[in-house]
Amino acid sequence: MAQEIEIEFKNLLTKDEYEKVYHFLPFKSVELKEQTNYYFETEDLKLKQQGSALRIRQKNAQWTLTLKQPHPEGLLETHDSLTEEEANLWIQNKMTEKPHVSKQLNDLGISFEDLYYLGSLTTRRKELDYKGTTVVLDHSLYYDKEDYELEVEAGSKEAGNKVMEEILRTCNIPNRETDNKIKRFYDRKQLQSE
């Protein structure tokens, strides 16, 4: 099955803090990549209630359906590839079952018929390898909001935490409790609906 455990640390940044990290590490030499996440949920928020999220990500002309679920070590990610045509159908609320994600959704008691398209979030991303981890700077845009985020992806909690703490300390940035993108996206969507 196409699955992996994702161990990552996140910290929201101000624009000035983003610039500090940008200049602290050699991000200037890294290519800027743009990716768009398309999010899905059920009317009664079954995914959110279980700490899970479902998205399609368009990156480098590839489309990937990913279900994220809580896991003791981080997040369990289950992936299925989509064609551009399939992704467009999903965005029109015409979901087609995919083998890996279908199995995981069934285990959560969620059927494809219950899903609907929430909206999209576009991220301008720079990432580089640093001390055995991947350090990511994200500038995300959704609804009328933009935010800046530092992420550290690592093979272990210890390695990721160590690198995150070093960057925050060196750049004099406070450690902030940071929701993941889907949560920030969903909260903004709720505000727009009120």
Side-chain angles (χ1 to χ4, degrees), residues 165-178:
E165 285 180 3
E166 176 199 335
I167 295 169
L168 295 179
R169 184 179 59 254
T170 304
C171 295
N172 196 27
I173 298 169
N175 191 342
R176 298 180 178 100
E177 190 71 32
T178 300

Side-chain angles (χ1 to χ4, degrees), residues 13 16 20-21 25 55 84 103-104 118 157 183:
L13 305 172
D16 288 343
K20 281 184 191 177
V21 177
L25 295 172
R55 71 159 190 239
E84 183 175 355
K103 181 191 177 312
Q104 296 302 112
L118 281 177
K157 287 184 177 181
K183 173 89 167 72

Side-chain angles (χ1 to χ4, degrees), residues 33-97:
K33 296 180 180 175
E34 189 167 282
Q35 63 189 34
T36 301
N37 291 343
Y38 301 89
Y39 294 113
F40 301 86
E41 182 53 277
T42 65
E43 289 289 341
D44 55 358
L45 309 179
K46 281 185 185 167
L47 286 164
K48 184 180 179 190
Q49 288 168 14
Q50 298 183 58
S52 300
L54 184 64
R55 71 159 190 239
I56 293 174
R57 175 173 283 171
Q58 178 195 12
K59 182 178 175 183
N60 301 329
Q62 301 216 342
W63 300 80
T64 306
L65 177 66
T66 300
L67 175 66
K68 292 188 174 203
Q69 298 172 263
H71 185 277
E73 293 297 312
L75 289 172
L76 173 64
E77 292 189 342
T78 304
H79 308 286
D80 278 300
S81 294
L82 298 175
T83 65
E84 183 175 355
E85 182 181 355
E86 287 174 317
N88 285 326
L89 287 171
W90 269 74
I91 293 165
Q92 297 170 45
N93 290 314
K94 298 172 185 169
M95 286 66 174
T96 53
E97 290 203 26

Side-chain angles (χ1 to χ4, degrees):
M1 185 175 288
Q3 290 184 315
E4 62 185 320
I5 305 297
E6 180 183 64
I7 299 171
E8 65 181 10
F9 296 82
K10 299 171 173 290
N11 204 78
L12 277 175
L13 305 172
T14 65
K15 188 173 184 183
D16 288 343
E17 291 166 347
Y18 176 95
E19 293 295 328
K20 281 184 191 177
V21 177
Y22 183 87
H23 294 292
F24 169 61
L25 295 172
F27 278 107
K28 194 171 192 172
S29 62
V30 176
E31 179 186 356
L32 181 71
K33 296 180 180 175
E34 189 167 282
Q35 63 189 34
T36 301
N37 291 343
Y38 301 89
Y39 294 113
F40 301 86
E41 182 53 277
T42 65
E43 289 289 341
D44 55 358
L45 309 179
K46 281 185 185 167
L47 286 164
K48 184 180 179 190
Q49 288 168 14
Q50 298 183 58
S52 300
L54 184 64
R55 71 159 190 239
I56 293 174
R57 175 173 283 171
Q58 178 195 12
K59 182 178 175 183
N60 301 329
Q62 301 216 342
W63 300 80
T64 306
L65 177 66
T66 300
L67 175 66
K68 292 188 174 203
Q69 298 172 263
H71 185 277
E73 293 297 312
L75 289 172
L76 173 64
E77 292 189 342
T78 304
H79 308 286
D80 278 300
S81 294
L82 298 175
T83 65
E84 183 175 355
E85 182 181 355
E86 287 174 317
N88 285 326
L89 287 171
W90 269 74
I91 293 165
Q92 297 170 45
N93 290 314
K94 298 172 185 169
M95 286 66 174
T96 53
E97 290 203 26
K98 300 305 283 183
H100 305 306
V101 171
S102 291
K103 181 191 177 312
Q104 296 302 112
L105 285 173
N106 285 337
D107 291 348
L108 293 174
I110 298 171
S111 76
F112 274 75
E113 294 80 42
D114 296 335
L115 298 170
Y116 74 98
Y117 172 61
L118 281 177
S120 66
L121 177 148
T122 298
T123 299
R124 296 176 182 144
R125 170 169 283 190
K126 286 199 168 228
E127 62 183 66
L128 56 84
D129 294 332
Y130 181 72
K131 295 188 176 181
T133 68
T134 301
V135 179
V136 179
L137 274 179
D138 281 345
H139 175 204
S140 296
L141 304 124
Y142 48 104
Y143 294 106
D144 61 347
K145 174 93 173 138
E146 65 180 315
D147 66 37
Y148 300 88
E149 179 182 26
L150 168 66
E151 281 186 21
V152 175
E153 299 171 2
S156 72
K157 287 184 177 181
E158 297 77 26
N161 195 42
K162 185 177 179 182
V163 168
M164 177 63 88
E165 285 180 3
E166 176 199 335
I167 295 169
L168 295 179
R169 184 179 59 254
T170 304
C171 295
N172 196 27
I173 298 169
N175 191 342
R176 298 180 178 100
E177 190 71 32
T178 300
D179 291 325
N180 60 27
K181 285 181 180 66
I182 180 77
K183 173 89 167 72
R184 298 193 317 258
F185 168 87
Y186 191 81
D187 289 348
R188 195 67 186 180
K189 179 176 174 49
Q190 289 294 96
L191 280 175
Q192 297 292 312
S193 304
E194 294 173 358

